[in-house]
Amino acid sequence: MARVLVLVNSVGLLLFGSEMFLVGANRPPAPVNVSVMHLRADSATVSWEVPEGDIIIGFSISQQRMDGKMQRFIREVNTTSRSCVLWDLEEETDYIIQVQSIGLYGESKASNRIHFRTLKKTDRFPSNSSNQDDPTVQGLDKARHLQTGEMIIIVVVLLMWAAVIALFCRQYDIIKDNDSSNSKEKVKPSSERTTPEHHSGGLLRSKFHQSVSSISIIEV
C-alpha cells in the first residue's frame, strides 16, 4: 500500500513538473528597448518593444520610488499597446520601473530596471546632469530630434508659401500695369475726336464766286 501511494505521488509530481515546464516554455520573452519619454513634473510615458513571433495580450508595469516609500502596479489585458502613461507622479522624484508582457500562458520575466527622475513644475527639459547612458535620456534625445525636425519642416513650408505669395503679387502688379496702359491707348482726348474741316467746301465756294463775277462782267 505504501508503494502504491509513493507511486501515485511520484506520478503527480511528474505531471505537475511537466505542466510547469510547458507553461514556462510558452511564456513570452521579456520586453526590450524600454524607455521613458515625455517627462513632466507629474507624468511620464513608458514605451517598449516585444520580440516578434509571440502572442501578447497585455502588459504589466511595476513602478516604485527610489526611496521605497511607494510602489504601484499597472496591469492591462486585451490590448496591443506598447506604451503607457504614468500619472500622479511627484516632482523631482526618482522612480524605477519594470515592464512585463502578458501572454496566453502567463507573464514574461521582468525587463531591465529603468530609472528616471521627474522635472520641476517650472522646468521644460531635464537637466544635463542625467546619465547619458540612461534609456530615459536616450528617449528624450529622440523626442528633441523629432521636435527639431518638425520645426525645420514648418519653417521651410512657411518660406515656400511666402515665396509663392510674393510671386503671385508681382505677377498681379504686372498684369494690372498692362491693363492700365492698354486702356489709356484706347481712350483719346476730345480734341483728337473733333471732325476735321472739309477744305473742299471753301474751294467750291471760291470757284462759285469767280463764275458769278465773270457772268456779271459779260452782261455789262
Side-chain angles (χ1 to χ4, degrees):
M1 186 64 182
R3 292 181 179 180
V4 173
L5 292 176
V6 171
L7 181 62
V8 171
N9 290 331
S10 300
V11 171
L13 291 174
L14 181 62
L15 292 175
F16 180 76
S18 61
E19 183 179 357
M20 292 297 295
F21 175 78
L22 291 176
V23 170
N26 291 327
R27 286 182 178 177
V32 295
N33 298 330
V34 181
S35 62
V36 179
M37 51 188 178
H38 305 306
L39 277 173
R40 300 291 185 270
D42 58 351
S43 66
T45 300
V46 183
S47 64
W48 62 90
E49 296 179 1
V50 176
E52 298 181 357
D54 295 289
I55 300 177
I56 305 300
I57 61 173
F59 62 86
S60 176
I61 297 177
S62 171
Q63 169 191 326
Q64 184 177 5
R65 287 177 47 166
M66 286 283 291
D67 55 12
K69 291 183 178 181
M70 184 186 68
Q71 188 172 10
R72 179 185 300 172
F73 293 95
I74 302 173
R75 182 184 176 92
E76 290 190 19
V77 294
N78 297 327
T79 179
T80 59
S81 177
R82 299 294 182 264
S83 63
C84 179
V85 179
L86 307 178
W87 298 101
D88 298 330
L89 304 180
E90 298 182 10
E91 63 175 336
E92 293 188 289
T93 304
D94 295 303
Y95 288 90
I96 294 177
I97 59 169
Q98 287 182 293
V99 184
Q100 292 177 276
S101 296
I102 301 176
L104 297 175
Y105 299 98
E107 298 182 356
S108 69
K109 293 182 179 180
S111 66
N112 296 330
R113 293 161 59 92
I114 303 299
H115 163 258
F116 69 93
R117 181 179 177 85
T118 54
L119 307 179
K120 289 182 181 180
K121 291 183 179 179
T122 56
D123 288 345
R124 299 181 61 182
F125 299 102
S127 60
N128 295 328
S129 61
S130 300
N131 186 5
Q132 296 298 325
D133 296 332
D134 198 322
T136 302
V137 180
Q138 296 176 3
L140 290 170
D141 291 338
K142 292 179 181 179
R144 289 180 184 176
H145 290 312
L146 181 61
Q147 292 176 358
T148 304
E150 290 176 352
M151 290 299 297
I152 292 174
I153 292 173
I154 292 173
V155 171
V156 171
V157 171
L158 291 176
L159 291 176
M160 291 177 63
W161 272 108
V164 171
I165 293 173
L167 180 62
F168 175 78
C169 294
R170 181 176 177 81
Q171 294 294 331
Y172 177 76
D173 292 337
I174 293 173
I175 295 172
K176 188 176 180 180
D177 293 339
N178 293 334
D179 292 340
S180 61
S181 60
N182 292 333
S183 62
K184 288 180 180 179
E185 291 178 358
K186 291 180 180 179
V187 178
K188 295 181 178 180
S190 58
S191 60
E192 297 180 0
R193 292 186 298 172
T194 56
T195 304
E197 183 181 358
H198 196 280
H199 300 285
S200 60
L203 293 174
L204 290 176
R205 286 195 297 273
S206 61
K207 290 181 180 179
F208 178 74
H209 287 297
Q210 290 177 1
S211 62
V212 170
S213 60
S214 62
I215 291 172
S216 62
I217 294 170
I218 292 172
E219 287 181 354
V220 172

